[in-house]
Amino acid sequence: MLCFYLILLLREISGGRMLSFSGLPGRGEVRENSLAGASVYTFNVILSPSNASVEGLPIIINSNPLTKAFRINPGSSLLQYNVATTGDPILDYETMPHTFDLQILVTDNAGARAMQIMTVVVLDENEPPAFQGNLATQTVMIYILEDRPAGTVYQFHAVDSGNSTSTGLSYLGTPGEPFSVSSTGTISSSKVFDYEKDPTSYSLNITVTNGQGLSTSRTVIINIINLNDESPYFTITERVFRIKEEQKTGTIVATMTAVDPDGEVFTNILRYSITAPQGIPYFSINPDSGVIQVARRLDRDTGPLNQHPNISLEIHVEDSPNGGRRNSTTIVITVEDINDHPPECQRYTFREQFYETMSIGTVIVDLENVCWDRDAVAPNNQFNFTGLSGVGSYKFAQDPPGSGRITLVGNVDLENKTGGAEEKDYILNLVVQDIVSPFYPSNIYIFVRILPVNEFEPVFSSPSYVFNASETLAVGSKIGTVTATDEDIPSTGISYSIVAGGGTQDYSEIFWIDPEKGTVQIVAPLDYEITKWYLLTVQASDNDRKTQTVQVTVNVLEANDKKPVCSSSSHLLEIPVDLTPGTNINSLYISCVDRDSSPRAFRFFINSGNVNNHFTFSPSAGSGVSRLILVSPFDYKRGLDRVWEYRLEVFITDDNLLSVENRSTVLVQTGTVTLTIRVIPNPTTVVPTTPGVTLLTSRENVYVVSAWYVPFIICLGILLLLGLLGYLTFLLARYIRTHCQPKPKEDKKPLIKTPVEKKKVKKAEIWELTNVNTVFDGEARDPVTGHLYEFNSKSGARRWKNTNVPPESETKDPVAQVTTTRRNSGQRYLSRKEAETNIRKQGREDNVPSAPPEQKIEISDQDNSRKLQVPKEESLRNGSAVPPHRSPIPSPKIYPKYQSQA
């Protein structure tokens, strides 16, 4: 029954389908050390129904013990699978378990599953012996020193893989000599090695074999270490070297080579050095390569090398920097002279001056015995002179050739242009150079200046000059240029000056001439109406005081440069508001003149200020006199006119005779007249009022606006003087009071007071109390009770704000007592006690405490019926009629109810 239910359960799990293995569970065997992919076991999968398919490959879901050494591969037929090795890790019978249980799971496409167990058994195989230590995995390299005694070189170990012991193993080393291998794995040498004679390396093949005939081989390389037991020696045979002087620092002179018999290793570490003191400053040796180089400048011509050009060097070689073996040799280096200096002279530049009248054959300069060559030996120190070259060199020559003696052979007269003597300066280039390569030259420059002789006077380009200048030209303008030349070559320089003419009554000098360029300029304004032409005398002079003069006429051209000038530039007019149109205002005539224009050229017009065009001029053009006419009446009643003072800017131009097109191109002058017209309203005239503010400013033209600082400084000075005067007065009064005591008055009071019966008039003061309705304009909270109260910011009076406060009788506003002092001769005065009694009585009637926090004393004046109220804090104590001043802080006595709490 249990099996039946189990079958039903399996059918339910598999969805009604059956999935099983063929060949599982099973047992497979595999040998150790099998390669990856070795087949272990083959099984099949059975599907029901047959149309189902396996979902992927069967998988190993678990193993005991755990391993990744196996996997499942597809077999040769459908639904056949093979368990194979993965090679990770490789199976080893000696180090791994001998059996593995694999759980294999397969799933079809319908979701059915099946699982079985397969056992894998690892079989042991006979393996060759194995080396241990470094020799087990790699080739071993052994190093031994030469001259080492024969004996043990290396010890290795090997074991049999079957029993993990070294019993029954045999060893063989090939080739044998000069090494041998013992039965215990010891490698020994049979001789003493010499690195320079014997091989430096031996390769020994070690083979170990077990009792079954299986063997393993490894290689041992034995290297012989070289020892420093031989001295190096030089291989170079040449001992004398030559080098030219002036070689660059670092130039190679020779290379010292040496060899160490101990081998290349010691040859590569050879160290070279120089010990000769004579050669150390000039030469150095590379300690590694043995290259001898120039260490400083080699000058054969100066210093010790001039007398001793041969330098001996002692070269040492050493195979170890610290106590090694060494050897030495001596070489000689000869420094040879080269032609490295050009010829030198005392001077290379000669400057000579001669007059243009000097004769042919004159010696210019003699260069004999002024040059030399600093090279050490001939022919490097020999030189000669070459031919002349340069500007004008054909007029000079060496006599004899190559001697350096320069003479004149041509014409140098500056005025003789036919002979080509127009040159003033000659530059001669003479080269002195060596006679051997590289023929160093030294240039000698000879500057010959021919001094001119002043033989001719200046000559103007024209016998006279005429210049035209408009009277509108600005000061500094150029009006013309005069030119003079001098036949002397080169020109000695000409300066110009005005020696006569060019002055008027107002200006002594109107013209100025540039002394170098001859340009005539005006330095004062020209006026055609005053002077129409000027006659100048211009003088040209050279540097040798030779002069020449010429007449210059300057014609002044008329131009419209004057403005119309009127009889008065400003007028102040007053007219009634009801002036009849067409009336000549105040009979005003404007009369203008122009020095360079006819009155018919005048044109009058109002440029600005003519609001509503009430004014015009008649005639407006063609005359020098014009009248101001009112052309339209004023209308202030309807608001058409609002300006009561007109400032008219009147322009008078002299362009009336010009067409409209020419006025923009011709210079037109304009005169200006300012008219101020005040309209006087009639007494019955009603000035219309409009909302807004009307500012009426009365001005008098007594100073210009730009002079604002004048009254400011005057006022400031007055204030400073007044302050100083007051301060001095104060100091004087204090001094008089301190140092000048007043004269004591005579005491006329009798010693014994005699009673005089005289009726004294009793004076009294009247005190009036007035209740004032105090205005409370502030609000605050009482710090004792926490209630809000209102207070008067001036008097300090207070009262509670809400109804939850003490009775009003206890917080009633303090009465401001007003004291009025009256002084009438015919009125009865109250006594002081009566006044105090009335005050107390009035206070009781108004439920006011006897000491109010603040009172106002009102002083009344019967004559002008004005009152002055002064707020004060006062308390009437001990019946005092005059309360003292107190702080404006309200007193707690305002609240009688809380007086005990405070």
Side-chain angles (χ1 to χ4, degrees), residues 109-126:
N109 57 358
R113 296 181 179 181
M115 184 177 66
Q116 286 293 348
I117 297 176
M118 174 193 168
T119 301
V120 178
V121 179
V122 180
L123 302 179
D124 185 22
E125 283 192 342
N126 187 17

Side-chain angles (χ1 to χ4, degrees), residues 93-94 124-129 159-165 210 212:
Y93 186 84
E94 287 76 22
D124 185 22
E125 283 192 342
N126 187 17
E127 297 176 329
V159 296
D160 192 351
S161 299
N163 51 24
S164 300
T165 63
N210 61 7
Q212 289 80 21

Side-chain angles (χ1 to χ4, degrees), residues 573-589:
L573 307 175
E574 294 184 351
I575 60 175
V577 70
D578 55 353
L579 185 66
T580 304
T583 303
N584 180 198
I585 297 176
N586 289 2
S587 301
L588 176 66
Y589 288 86

Side-chain angles (χ1 to χ4, degrees), residues 33 56 87 168 198 210 225 276 298 402 437 554 617 659-660 723 760 793 835 892:
N33 299 326
D198 297 328
N210 61 7
I225 300 175
L298 299 176
S437 178
V554 179
F617 280 91
S659 61
V660 178
K760 296 181 180 180
S793 61

Side-chain angles (χ1 to χ4, degrees), residues 25 44 54 96 100 106 218 253 314 362 443 520 553-554 712:
N44 295 315
V54 175
M96 298 177 64
F100 296 91
V106 63
R218 289 290 186 270
V253 180
E314 186 177 358
T362 302
N443 293 322
V520 180
T553 302
V554 179
F712 174 77

Side-chain angles (χ1 to χ4, degrees), residues 642 688-694:
R642 299 185 181 183
T689 58
T690 57
V693 178
T694 302

